[in-house]
Amino acid sequence: MSFKLLKNISRVVTFDDSDSIFEKADILINDNEIVEIRKGIEPVEGYEVIDCTDLIALPGFVNTHHHLYQTLFRGIREVQEKPLFPWLVGLYDFWRHITPEAVYYGAMVGFSELLRTGCTTTMDHHYVFPVDKPKNLIDVQIRAASEIGIRFHATRGSMSLGRSGGGLPPDCVVQNEEDILLDSERLIGKYHDKNRFAMQRIALAPCSPFSVSRELLIQSRDLARKKGVMLHTHLAETKDEERFCIEKYGMRPVRLMESLGWIGPDVWFAHVIHINEDEIKVLKGSGIAHCPSSNMKLSSGICPTTDLVEAGVKVGIAVDGSASNDGSNMWEEVRRAYLLNHLRYGTDGLDAYQVLKLATRGGAEVLGRDDIGVLQRGRAADIVLFDLNDIAYSGCHDPLIGLVTCGNTSIVKMTMVNGRVVVKDGRLTTIDTEEMAKKAHEVASDIVKKERQLASEKIW
């Protein structure tokens, strides 16, 4: 057994069923599990004691939607100032060049940003599999997650409906449905861990109603439920998607999912902006990944978070892909979720505590986890420590409000995942981020240069 004692924490915010908050408390950890939270735990021989004086402890943030490969495609000038559909069309040309190497470095960059900003568990929605490239891209992501030390839900994304079949993506980045389902089953068998405190799980994630067939949605649903894994897709993100679904299927996006049996506690959707009151009721029990920054940059709209929460829909917070929000900063996403909620709901909006709860316990519930997202005995030791002694927090009289509304940095003091310290004083302990950033940028530059050269040759 290996014991760690987090000593003299200024405030421990648990998000347990009683919303317990401990002042001047300690957390005792055995290997990867919290065994006690209280004042005055005395260290004994063999304990590793970590001084947490003046720090605030929260459960690690849980990121419920991401596209890690997109960290290599930030600031592409050709797709700035565009809404979702034109943005996607412009980026598919770049994404068709991604390789396993690119996926590895994109994942490492995204994981690094997430861990340094307080995220201990993330999913990823990878759906781009170029026809002329290796298909082991999910395997590469899982290896990267294991190396850096983040809890990871990899979703086997897919696109089967290319432009020749009336879909949005070019045919060079879609796959046939038999190959998709075979690889989905392979990944579940090889990597999905159903055990408590699992560091890796698999879900199935057809990309969107405008990039997969109705048949693939049904087959993915059946396979997921046969194997006991979750389902995920984009939904109700834009008016363009709504028009596409009405024209192709004769119904709005939520009703399409309902007709296909894609509703329930084993399903979560990204975005969910353009919905009405009846559709919110349909979603009760399902999960939503709210993506504030991406929705703002692509001008998609504002997710009706308060209405969803009040209707019994599970809601978590997400960074989405870094080609639309330009970062993987989970702490900043919490702030923007709070501000967007107040922009929509005014004084009836969620308060700072409630938004932090969405980012932690809420995200865990969206991903179907009851072993993370809360600080209490028997839960995983996924703990983030925040230092609010910077001048940017001076004069703030409630640290929980300060966490959400104040500050000019989003780098945490410490991130612990499964009982292991992976960020200390804002720096990764598991990889060399400077070297990783350099290599990732080289890989990204090569891909972008290649596509721009091909584009220029087409012009001339």
Side-chain angles (χ1 to χ4, degrees):
M1 293 188 296
S2 174
F3 285 94
K4 290 185 176 71
L5 178 60
L6 306 185
K7 191 70 178 165
N8 301 321
I9 305 169
S10 174
R11 181 174 293 195
V12 179
V13 185
T14 67
F15 298 117
D16 64 11
D17 291 343
S18 301
D19 289 313
S20 305
I21 297 177
F22 296 90
E23 305 283 349
K24 305 295 183 184
D26 309 325
I27 302 177
L28 181 62
I29 298 157
N30 179 13
D31 292 330
N32 60 354
E33 184 176 352
I34 297 171
V35 295
E36 193 170 12
I37 304 175
R38 65 173 175 83
K39 293 182 180 180
I41 300 175
E42 292 300 325
V44 300
E45 185 177 354
Y47 282 16
E48 178 187 349
V49 180
I50 300 174
D51 182 23
C52 300
T53 302
D54 293 334
L55 303 180
I56 297 173
L58 264 68
F61 294 139
V62 179
N63 178 37
T64 52
H65 186 67
H66 207 344
H67 307 293
L68 287 163
Y69 72 93
Q70 290 185 16
T71 59
L72 304 186
F73 300 94
R74 307 189 235 217
I76 300 288
R77 62 174 177 267
E78 290 90 335
V79 297
Q80 301 303 302
E81 319 311 328
K82 290 186 177 182
L84 179 66
F85 274 23
W87 176 86
L88 281 169
V89 169
L91 279 170
Y92 285 137
D93 288 336
F94 291 94
W95 296 344
R96 63 184 171 140
H97 302 296
I98 63 170
T99 62
E101 181 186 41
V103 169
Y104 174 82
Y105 284 106
M108 279 299 201
V109 169
F111 290 149
S112 298
E113 290 186 87
L114 289 167
L115 288 167
R116 294 177 72 215
T117 58
C119 179
T120 54
T121 299
T122 187
M123 65 79 72
D124 188 65
H125 188 185
H126 188 94
Y127 54 83
V128 177
F129 294 85
V131 295
D132 58 343
K133 301 294 190 304
K135 303 300 183 285
N136 63 333
L137 304 183
I138 305 297
D139 304 72
V140 171
Q141 290 187 315
I142 292 170
R143 174 167 64 88
S146 179
E147 289 176 8
I148 204 168
I150 195 167
R151 201 180 297 276
F152 186 44
H153 286 224
T155 73
R156 206 307 180 174
S158 53
M159 295 193 294
S160 65
L161 191 65
R163 288 176 193 163
S164 63
L168 192 67
D171 291 351
C172 64
V173 293
V174 303
Q175 296 179 285
N176 71 64
E177 293 172 4
E178 182 180 2
D179 288 344
I180 290 167
L181 293 166
L182 284 172
D183 194 50
S184 297
E185 191 160 9
R186 177 189 71 85
L187 289 165
I188 295 169
K190 186 173 182 179
Y191 296 112
H192 185 65
D193 184 354
K194 297 180 180 180
N195 294 314
R196 193 167 180 81
F197 305 147
M199 288 295 288
Q200 59 191 37
R201 287 188 178 168
I202 301 294
L204 302 187
C207 183
S208 63
F210 52 82
S211 59
V212 300
S213 68
R214 186 198 299 256
E215 290 70 30
L216 182 60
L217 287 164
I218 293 170
Q219 291 172 317
S220 296
R221 176 204 68 195
D222 291 345
L223 177 59
R225 289 180 175 153
K226 176 184 176 183
K227 296 294 184 179
V229 303
M230 295 189 71
L231 290 161
H232 179 61
T233 192
H234 299 91
L235 194 72
E237 183 177 1
T238 67
K239 286 291 187 180
D240 285 336
E241 176 193 332
E242 183 179 296
R243 284 190 287 270
F244 179 94
C245 289
I246 291 172
E247 291 172 6
K248 187 172 182 65
Y249 299 111
M251 61 187 84
R252 289 160 56 88
V254 171
R255 292 300 183 182
L256 173 62
M257 292 297 108
E258 182 186 31
S259 74
L260 298 175
W262 264 69
I263 299 291
D266 61 344
V267 181
W268 88 101
F269 303 107
H271 304 296
V272 186
I273 296 168
H274 300 285
I275 54 174
N276 58 39
E277 290 184 13
D278 289 337
E279 291 164 345
I280 289 174
K281 294 175 183 176
V282 169
L283 292 172
K284 182 178 181 179
S286 301
I288 306 300
H290 172 38
C291 308
S293 297
S294 175
N295 295 162
M296 287 190 284
K297 181 166 183 179
L298 295 179
S299 307
S300 301
I302 304 175
C303 176
T305 44
T306 295
D307 293 323
L308 290 164
V309 170
E310 290 178 351
V313 182
K314 296 176 291 186
V315 178
I317 295 174
V319 301
D320 201 5
S322 296
S324 61
N325 70 6
D326 299 315
S328 303
N329 186 331
M330 193 63 187
W331 193 351
E332 183 62 30
E333 217 62 49
V334 171
R335 183 192 310 250
R336 290 174 182 170
Y338 170 84
L339 294 173
L340 268 186
N341 179 271
H342 278 253
L343 179 62
R344 177 165 185 145
Y345 294 101
T347 55
D348 294 324
L350 302 174
D351 64 25
Y353 179 88
Q354 291 170 315
V355 172
L356 286 168
K357 195 170 187 177
L358 293 185
T360 51
R361 181 169 179 163
E365 291 171 351
V366 166
L367 295 185
R369 304 285 300 239
D370 63 0
D371 54 351
I372 62 173
V374 175
L375 298 185
Q376 67 181 32
R377 181 183 177 88
R379 296 277 184 148
D382 288 5
I383 303 168
V384 178
L385 293 166
F386 299 86
D387 184 353
L388 303 188
N389 291 310
D390 186 79
I391 195 169
Y393 299 96
S394 297
C396 180
H397 302 279
D398 187 313
L400 288 181
I401 295 173
L403 271 172
V404 176
T405 63
C406 299
N408 49 25
T409 179
S410 297
I411 307 302
V412 301
K413 182 70 172 178
M414 190 184 87
T415 302
M416 176 182 285
V417 182
N418 215 37
R420 179 189 185 190
V421 176
V422 294
V423 174
K424 184 178 181 180
D425 296 325
R427 297 182 65 85
L428 267 292
T429 65
T430 51
I431 65 165
D432 182 339
T433 52
E434 287 77 12
E435 183 62 29
M436 191 65 68
K438 179 181 177 182
K439 183 60 178 177
H441 194 66
E442 290 173 357
V443 172
S445 296
D446 288 345
I447 291 175
V448 172
K449 287 176 183 176
K450 181 177 182 178
E451 175 53 34
R452 285 176 173 163
Q453 179 63 34
L454 289 171
S456 68
E457 290 171 1
K458 288 179 185 177
I459 292 173
W460 298 104

